[in-house]
C-alpha cells in the first residue's frame, strides 16, 4: 500500500494530507446560483398576488431567463443597462409612494430590483444583493398579509441564505472551485446549525418581547378590510356595498349551535335619513336586560378591519379581552379604532328575551318626510288589522308573504324609489331591502323598530371546533318593540324562495381538504396573529404560578430538574448536529487516532507520518487491519461499505477493551 502523509486532526477536516477524491464534483458557482434562485422564490411567493400585473409576469420570466443565462454564462442585461433599469424602477415606484399606500409600492420596487438582478451578471457582491432583496421582500409581505406560509418560508429562506454565504466564502477565494458530492451533506449540516439556532432564538424573542396594542407600522398597511360585506350604513339599492365576498370576517371558537341561532350582532341602526339607515347614540337612560336563554361562551378571532365594531353571538351579554364600550342596545365598539385586536371572549344568551327599560318610543318611530303616500296607505291598512304590536307585526309578515317577494342579488330596484319598487314592482332584493322596508312599515304602523347589522350563518370546522364567518354572510335583520321587549325578526326568511335563497345556505359544509387548510390557518392566527400583550401577561402569570407550585411542593429540586432537562436537550441537539456534520469515515478515523494515542502512548505524531507507518509503529495487527480496510476504500475513490464500517467498529471496540 502506498504511503500516505498523515496530519493531526483539524476541526471538521480529514486527517490526511491526501484528501479523498470523489467521482462527481459540483461547481460552487452552480450551487450559489441554485440557492440564490430559491431565495428569490421564497422571498417573493408570499407577496406574489399583491404585485402589479407586469411584475407577476416578469418575475417568473426573469427566473427562467436568468437561470439559462447563468448556465451559459451570458447574462441578458449588461452592467449599464441593469443600472439604468434599477434607477428607473426607483423613480417609478418612488412617485407612487404616499402616506396612504407605502407597503404596495415598496414591495413592487423590491421585486423589480430582484428581476433586474436576476437578469444581470453575478459577482460575489451581486449574490449578497440578491439575498438582501429576498429577505426584505419576505419581510415586506408581512405588511400586506401574515399567512401561515410566512414561517416556513422564513426558515427555508434563512437556511438558503446561510448556505449561500458559506459557499460565497469559497467562491470568493476561487470562483472555479468544485465541491465533492460527498461533502454536500457535511456542508448542509454545518450550514443548518445557524438557522436552527436562529429559529430557537426567534421563538424565545417572539414569546418575551413586548407586543404593542397599537401596531407601530400600521400606517404602512392602512386598508386591509374587505371591499364588501358588513357596513355601518344600510341603503337599499346600493348593491355594491353588500356584494358577495368570500373574504374572511372572523372565526369563532364555540360549541356546536343550531343554524337558526347563528346571528352575529355588530351594529344597531336606529335612524332613517332619506333612503339610508344610520346609527346614532341611543337615547340617554335607555337600557336592556336579558332574561332567560342559554349561556354560550365564544372566543372570536377577527380579521383586521377599519371599523371598530366587535361581533358576538346575538345577544352578547359580556365581552372581555379588548377595551370596548358597550351601548345600551348591546353593541360593542373598540375604544381605540386602530388598536390591535388579536382575539376576545364573549358570553351570549342564546334565545334570551331583550327586556327594554325606559325606551324612548318616539325616537324609534321617526320616518323621513319623503316616504311615499303609497307606503303610508299600506301601513295604515296593516295597522288597522290589529291594535297590538304583535298583531301588527304578524300582519306585516303576512303582507310580505302575499307579495311573493324574491331574495335576489341581481336586477334590483333603483336606489331612488328602492322600497316602493321592491314591495310593489320588481319584488326582488336582498336582506337590506327586506329589513329596511319591513322596519319602515312597522314605524309607519306605530311599532318602534330598528335594524341590526352583522352576520348570519357560519361554516363549522369540527377538526378544531370553530365557525368560519365570511363577508358574504353579512346580514341585516329587524328588532321590533313588542310587549316590552325587543324581538328579532328576519324578513329575509319571508322570501318566496327562502328555502333555496342565497342566505339560506350560509352554513355550507367544507370538504375535508378545505377544512384541513382552514384549520391550519386558524391555528396560525391563534398562535401568532392573536398573540398580544394580554396573552403575554397570561403566559407570564401562569409560568410564575407553576414555578411557585414547583418550589412549594418539592423545594427547588423539581425546578433544578427541569433546568437540567433543558440543558441536556440543547446538548443533545448540538451533539446530533455535530455527528451529522462529520462523515462516517472521518468519525471512524478520529476514534482510531484517539485510541492509538491512549493505548500505545503516541501523544504527538509528526505531520509527515502516514497511516500505514503509524500502524507499523504500534506493532498491533488490529491497527494494521484497520488501516488496510480504511485505505482500500477511502483512498480509492469510494465510501466505506456497511460491512467494512461494521468491521472497523469491531476493531475499534477490541482496541478499546483490551
Amino acid at each position: 500500500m502506498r504511503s500516505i502523509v498523515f496530519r493531526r486532526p483539524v476541526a471538521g477536516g480529514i486527517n490526511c494530507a491526501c484528501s479523498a477524491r470523489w467521482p462527481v464534483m459540483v461547481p460552487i458557482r452552480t450551487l450559489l446560483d441554485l440557492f440564490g434562485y430559491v431565495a428569490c422564490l421564497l422571498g417573493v411567493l408570499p407577496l406574489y398576488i399583491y404585485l402589479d400585473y407586469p411584475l407577476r409576469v416578469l418575475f417568473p420570466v426573469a427566473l427562467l431567463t436568468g437561470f439559462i443565462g447563468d448556465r451559459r454564462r451570458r447574462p441578458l442585461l449588461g452592467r449599464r443597462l441593469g443600472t439604468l433599469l434599477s434607477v428607473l424602477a426607483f423613480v417609478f415606484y418612488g412617485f407612487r409612494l404616499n402616506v396612504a399606500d407605502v407597503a404596495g409600492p415598496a414591495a413592487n420596487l423590491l421585486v423589480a430590483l430582484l428581476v433586474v438582478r436576476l437578469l444581470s451578471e453575478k459577482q460575489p457582491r451581486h449574490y449578497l444583493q440578491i439575498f438582501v432583496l429576498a429577505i426584505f421582500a419576505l419581510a415586506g409581505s408581512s405588511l400586506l398579509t401574515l399567512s401561515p406560509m410566512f414561517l416556513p418560508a422564513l426558515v427555508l429562506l434563512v437556511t438558503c441564505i446561510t448556505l449561500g454565504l458559506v459557499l460565497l466564502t469559497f467562491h470568493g477565494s476561487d470562483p472555479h472551485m468544485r465541491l465533492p458530492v460527498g461533502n454536500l451533506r457535511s456542508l448542509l449540516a454545518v450550514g443548518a446549525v445557524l438557522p436552527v439556532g436562529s429559529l430557537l432564538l426567534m421563538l424565545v424573542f417572539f414569546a418575551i418581547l413586548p407586543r404593542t396594542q397599537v401596531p407601530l407600522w400600521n400606517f404602512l398597511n392602512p386598508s386591509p378590510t374587505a371591499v364588501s360585506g358588513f357596513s355601518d350604513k344600510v341603503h337599499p339599492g346600493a348593491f355594491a356595498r353588500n356584494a358577495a365576498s368570500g373574504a374572511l370576517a372572523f372565526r369563532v371558537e364555540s360549541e356546536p349551535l343550531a343554524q337558526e341561532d347563528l346571528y352575529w350582532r355588530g351594529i344597531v341602526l336606529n335612524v332613517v335619513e332619506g333612503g339610508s339607515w344610520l346609527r346614532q347614540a341611543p337615547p340617554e337612560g335607555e337600557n336592556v336586560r336579558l332574561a332567560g336563554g342559554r349561556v354560550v361562551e365564544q372566543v372570536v378571532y377577527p380579521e383586521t378591519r377599519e371599523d371598530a365594531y366587535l361581533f358576538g353571538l346575538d345577544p352578547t351579554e359580556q365581552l372581555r379581552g379588548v377595551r370596548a364600550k358597550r351601548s345600551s342596545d348591546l353593541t360593542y365598539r373598540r375604544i381605540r379604532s386602530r388598536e390591535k385586536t388579536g382575539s376576545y371572549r364573549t358570553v351570549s344568551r342564546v334565545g334570551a328575551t331583550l327586556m327594554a327599560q325606559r325606551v324612548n318610543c318616539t325616537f324609534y318611530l321617526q320616518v323621513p318626510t319623503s316616504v311615499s303616500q303609497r307606503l303610508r296607505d299600506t301601513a295604515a291598512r296593516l295597522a288597522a288589522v290589529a291594535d297590538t304590536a304583535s298583531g301588527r307585526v304578524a300582519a306585516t309578515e303576512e303582507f310580505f308573504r302575499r307579495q311573493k317577494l324574491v331574495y335576489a342579488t341581481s336586477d334590483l330596484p333603483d336606489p331612488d324609489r328602492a322600497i316602493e319598487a321592491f314591495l310593489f314592482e320588481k319584488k326582488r332584493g336582498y336582506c337590506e331591502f327586506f329589513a329596511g322596508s319591513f322596519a319602515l312599515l312597522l314605524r309607519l304602523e306605530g311599532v318602534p323598530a330598528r335594524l341590526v347589522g352583522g352576520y348570519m350563518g357560519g361554516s363549522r370546522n369540527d377538526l378544531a371546533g370553530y365557525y368560519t364567518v365570511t363577508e358574504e354572510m353579512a346580514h341585516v335583520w329587524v328588532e321590533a318593540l313588542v310587549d316590552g321587549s325587543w324581538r328579532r325578526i328576519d324578513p329575509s326568511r319571508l322570501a318566496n324562495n327562502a328555502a333555496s335563497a342565497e342566505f339560506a345556505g350560509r352554513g355550507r359544509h367544507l370538504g375535508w381538504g378545505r377544512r384541513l387548510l382552514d384549520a391550519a390557518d386558524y391555528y396560525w392566527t391563534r398562535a401568532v396573529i392573536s398573540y398580544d400583550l394580554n396573552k403575554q401577561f397570561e403566559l407570564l402569570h401562569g409560568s410564575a404560578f407553576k414555578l411557585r407550585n414547583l418550589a412549594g411542593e418539592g423545594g427547588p429540586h423539581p425546578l433544578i430538574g427541569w433546568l437540567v432537562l433543558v440543558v441536556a436537550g440543547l446538548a443533545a441537539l448540538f451533539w446530533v448536529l455535530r455527528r451529522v456534520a462529520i462523515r462516517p469515515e472521518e468519525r471512524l478515523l478520529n476514534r482510531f487516532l484517539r485510541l492509538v494515542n491512549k493505548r500505545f502512548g503516541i501523544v504527538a505524531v509528526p505531520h509527515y507520518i502516514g497511516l500505514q507507518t503509524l500502524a507499523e509503529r504500534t506493532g498491533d495487527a488490529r491497527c494494521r487491519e484497520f488501516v488496510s480496510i480504511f485505505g482500500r476504500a477511502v483512498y480509492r475513490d469510494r465510501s466505506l461499505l456497511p460491512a467494512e464500517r461494521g468491521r472497523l467498529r469491531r476493531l475499534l471496540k477490541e482496541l478499546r477493551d483490551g
Side-chain angles (χ1 to χ4, degrees), residues 150-182:
F150 179 83
L151 182 59
L154 176 63
V155 173
L156 292 174
L157 181 58
V158 171
T159 304
C160 281
I161 292 177
T162 302
L163 297 174
L165 293 176
V166 172
L167 292 173
L168 203 55
T169 59
F170 293 99
H171 182 269
S173 60
D174 183 5
H176 305 290
M177 181 180 294
R178 294 173 174 267
L179 186 70
V181 173

Side-chain angles (χ1 to χ4, degrees), residues 62-267:
L63 278 176
L64 179 61
T65 307
F67 180 78
I68 295 174
D70 289 338
R71 294 290 294 173
R72 297 178 178 178
R73 298 295 179 256
R74 292 162 60 181
L76 182 65
L77 300 180
R79 181 182 304 176
R80 293 184 178 179
L81 182 56
T83 302
L84 176 61
L85 291 176
S86 299
V87 172
L88 291 176
F90 268 106
V91 173
F92 177 75
Y93 288 107
F95 278 111
R96 291 180 55 184
L97 288 174
N98 57 77
V99 177
D101 186 15
V102 176
N108 280 278
L109 174 60
L110 290 171
V111 177
L113 295 177
L114 268 176
V115 167
V116 174
R117 190 69 273 157
L118 290 173
L119 296 175
S120 307
E121 64 174 343
K122 296 179 181 62
Q123 299 298 327
R125 68 178 185 277
H126 300 142
Y127 288 106
L128 288 175
Q129 293 171 4
I130 289 175
F131 293 148
V132 170
L133 288 172
I135 198 72
F136 271 99
L138 182 62
S141 70
S142 65
L143 297 175
L144 299 169
T145 179
L146 198 57
S147 65
M149 69 180 297
F150 179 83
L151 182 59
L154 176 63
V155 173
L156 292 174
L157 181 58
V158 171
T159 304
C160 281
I161 292 177
T162 302
L163 297 174
L165 293 176
V166 172
L167 292 173
L168 203 55
T169 59
F170 293 99
H171 182 269
S173 60
D174 183 5
H176 305 290
M177 181 180 294
R178 294 173 174 267
L179 186 70
V181 173
N183 287 353
L184 286 179
R185 185 179 66 176
S186 301
L187 175 66
L188 294 175
V190 172
V193 173
L194 182 58
V196 170
S198 301
L199 180 60
L200 293 175
L201 288 176
M202 179 176 64
L203 294 175
V204 172
F205 288 142
F206 175 79
I208 64 175
L209 287 179
R211 321 293 292 180
T212 59
Q213 293 298 98
V214 180
L216 296 177
W217 303 103
N218 197 54
F219 70 92
L220 295 176
N221 188 21
S223 302
T225 58
V227 175
S228 57
F230 174 80
S231 175
D232 58 359
K233 175 182 178 181
V234 167
H235 188 126
F239 174 71
R241 293 188 61 82
N242 199 30
S245 170
L248 177 66
F250 52 87
R251 294 189 179 93
V252 184
E253 284 182 15
S254 171
E255 63 184 67
L257 298 165
Q259 194 65 28
E260 58 269 19
D261 292 331
L262 295 179
Y263 283 85
W264 311 98
R265 190 185 190 93
I267 186 173

